[in-house]
Amino acid sequence: MRLSDLRGRTVAVWGTGREGRAAVTAIAAHGPAELVAVDDSANFLSLPWDGPLAEAAPLVTGEAGFERLAAADVVVRSPGVPQTHPWLVELRGRGVTVTQGTALWMADHAARTVGVTGSKGKSTTSSLICHLLTAMGRPNVFGGNIGVPTLDLPEAELYVLELSSYQCSDLTDSPRVAVVTALFPEHLDAHGGEREYYRDKLNLLAHGPETIVVNGADPRLAAELGDRPAVRAGRTDTTHVATGADGTPWFHLADQPLFPRAVLPLVGRHNEGNLCVALAVLDALGVDVVADRNSLAVAVAEFQGLAHRLTEITDPSGLTFVDDTLATSPYAAMHAIDAYDGRPLTVIVGGSDRGLDYTPLREHLAEREITVIGIPDSGPRIVEALAGLPAVRTELAEDLVAAVGLARKLTPAGGVVLLSPAAPSYGRFRNFEHRSEVFAQAVADTAR
């Protein structure tokens, strides 16, 4: 289904955040017979619905919203509406057509798109692809889950999109190059379970992409793909890291050395994998990675790490404070912890409790000396899961600000205070950016 297919039809846009606003603006321009907006979760964190948006689509809130959704020819849901929402289950049971803004956009732009998803690494990898393509004289427009919603993107010859599992779930067209960086259990409450999450995430690959590029070192991804044809970055026949002639790690394309690992300014083994995936995408798009390796090395060295992903904050105390607020699962937090191996480390964990199993985090920390501070809502449950580990000190704090103050007292000189919450920000913050702002302000205030 394309945007043009909505002309003359009754359309309901479900959700009034960034994606919902973009959908109303785009759909209104295509002449629907009727257009309404529905928000069943309006609260004090919601943005006002007024001006041209309200004129294009009157807002219906609360329980009355369901009847407007059920009466529509097409429901365009925002990514934040979970698969398990009882209204969504009922709408699909009634045969109501449900789609998303990203699916509408992809129907017209798939052949010009690189789409990147993954349980971890999709933001950094998609940003690297955009940055490196630009450096190689391949202009592109970047958007999706990070930055600009797809329906707000300008026309371009090439797009690079970061796509969440929610956005992937309703696609009926795959992008030309479909990329998956990692796969582990995430957002299970919103998708209905682990199998359902994998199904929705990998729907990116289900509709005839020209090329599939994946992280070949990820065991769950390998199991899900089976023998399906794909470029498996990290293996020796494509882009990977191996010892160079000088005895240090180098990035390679097959047996051809490209540039030293030291060129990449991002910490962590997982970021090596992200760059391997990005380079494999460039190779698939026809960039001569070997011939252009010197220019690529310069571009890689110039890449600025993304905010909220292992972002270090300068502090006069000598402690290193690190914002990794987008680590919303135990697996993502484990990657962040590994990036600071060998330094005294205090980790702040906790956020919206989605019922995740924190046993993998316990197993990962079994032999590690570390301090863990839990904050609401899931922090106490994470701390409980770590009980009994001999070298893990655990504490609880009433909120993020109090946790930063406590971390200053507990972390040895030269150590690291890492906000890697292993849980999303919903409920106590407007969004992940708001959680980062609170963390940075707390670091500044407690330094005084």
Side-chain angles (χ1 to χ4, degrees):
M1 177 176 289
R2 292 174 161 79
L3 277 169
S4 58
D5 295 329
L6 302 180
R7 183 176 302 277
R9 307 182 77 176
T10 300
V11 182
V13 172
W14 187 1
T16 58
R18 183 171 58 184
E19 292 277 349
R21 289 164 181 263
V24 164
T25 300
I27 294 167
H30 284 78
E34 182 182 2
L35 181 60
V36 298
V38 173
D39 190 346
D40 64 305
S41 61
N43 56 40
F44 72 98
L45 296 176
S46 299
L47 297 173
W49 189 264
D50 51 23
L53 287 169
E55 293 174 12
L59 178 62
V60 181
T61 60
E63 293 296 322
F66 176 74
E67 294 306 319
R68 301 305 296 269
L69 294 172
D73 297 323
V74 179
V75 171
V76 180
R77 68 176 178 123
S78 294
V81 176
Q83 295 277 28
T84 53
H85 195 296
W87 288 8
L88 185 56
V89 174
E90 177 65 20
L91 290 171
R92 287 184 164 148
R94 295 188 185 191
V96 176
T97 299
V98 180
T99 186
Q100 286 188 56
T102 298
L104 293 168
W105 182 92
M106 191 71 76
D108 288 317
H109 299 87
R112 292 177 277 160
T113 301
V114 176
V116 183
T117 195
S119 304
K120 175 69 176 175
K122 59 185 178 293
S123 300
T124 297
T125 302
S126 56
S127 298
L128 273 166
I129 292 167
C130 171
H131 173 74
L132 296 179
L133 283 171
T134 301
M136 294 298 102
R138 298 285 297 274
N140 62 93
V141 168
F142 185 48
N145 189 52
I146 181 174
V148 182
T150 51
L151 288 174
D152 280 342
L153 294 174
E155 283 299 310
E157 294 183 5
L158 182 62
Y159 298 90
V160 178
L161 302 185
E162 186 223 304
L163 299 171
S164 69
S165 55
Y166 310 121
Q167 290 170 309
C168 291
S169 63
D170 286 335
L171 293 178
T172 54
D173 302 87
S174 290
R176 173 186 169 187
V177 181
V179 183
V180 188
T181 60
L183 200 62
F184 51 73
E186 258 274 52
H187 310 299
L188 303 189
D189 55 337
H191 291 272
E194 186 170 344
R195 294 306 318 158
E196 291 80 4
Y197 168 68
Y198 293 165
R199 174 203 66 202
D200 289 346
K201 177 71 79 175
L202 297 179
N203 189 47
L204 181 74
L205 315 179
H207 307 285
E210 182 179 303
T211 304
I212 295 172
V213 179
V214 301
N215 175 3
D218 187 285
R220 290 180 188 83
L221 193 47
E224 292 295 322
L225 286 176
D227 58 0
R228 183 169 185 170
V231 178
R232 300 171 190 260
R235 297 191 177 183
T236 55
D237 61 336
T238 179
T239 49
H240 65 286
V241 177
T243 303
D246 61 357
T248 65
W250 277 59
F251 287 96
H252 290 70
L253 174 58
D255 60 353
Q256 295 295 309
L258 300 177
F259 43 79
R261 163 61 177 92
V263 167
L264 178 65
L266 306 182
V267 300
R269 291 284 300 275
H270 63 291
N271 278 318
E272 295 176 11
N274 292 337
L275 180 54
C276 285
V277 171
L279 291 170
V281 170
L282 263 67
D283 184 53
L285 289 172
V287 174
D288 192 334
V289 173
V290 175
D292 292 330
R293 55 191 164 194
N294 291 335
S295 297
L296 282 168
V298 172
V300 168
E302 292 174 346
F303 181 73
Q304 300 293 314
L306 301 181
H308 323 299
R309 299 160 185 83
L310 294 178
T311 302
E312 297 188 356
I313 301 172
T314 302
D315 189 76
S317 69
L319 294 175
T320 301
F321 287 84
V322 182
D323 173 13
D324 194 41
T325 192
L326 281 175
T328 58
S329 79
Y331 298 92
M334 286 151 54
H335 283 304
I337 289 166
D338 286 348
Y340 292 94
D341 191 28
R343 295 182 64 180
L345 182 60
T346 299
V347 184
I348 300 172
V349 298
S352 180
D353 195 342
R354 299 171 296 167
L356 291 178
D357 178 11
Y358 287 99
T359 303
L361 180 61
R362 176 186 176 87
E363 294 171 350
H364 195 71
L365 298 182
E367 305 298 326
R368 194 181 298 259
E369 185 173 347
I370 192 172
T371 298
V372 178
I373 301 175
I375 60 174
D377 294 317
S378 60
R381 193 164 68 82
I382 299 173
V383 164
E384 183 179 357
L386 303 179
L389 293 179
V392 177
R393 174 177 181 174
T394 58
E395 301 282 349
L396 294 175
E398 63 182 4
D399 57 27
L400 179 54
V401 174
V404 170
L406 180 59
R408 279 197 182 276
K409 299 176 182 177
L410 299 180
T411 309
V416 177
V417 178
L418 171 65
L419 172 63
S420 194
S425 58
Y426 312 135
R428 295 179 179 267
F429 303 94
R430 290 189 301 275
N431 46 39
F432 68 86
E433 293 99 338
H434 184 206
R435 180 161 63 182
S436 286
E437 291 168 8
V438 171
F439 178 66
Q441 189 61 53
V443 171
D445 289 346
T446 56
R448 296 170 185 167

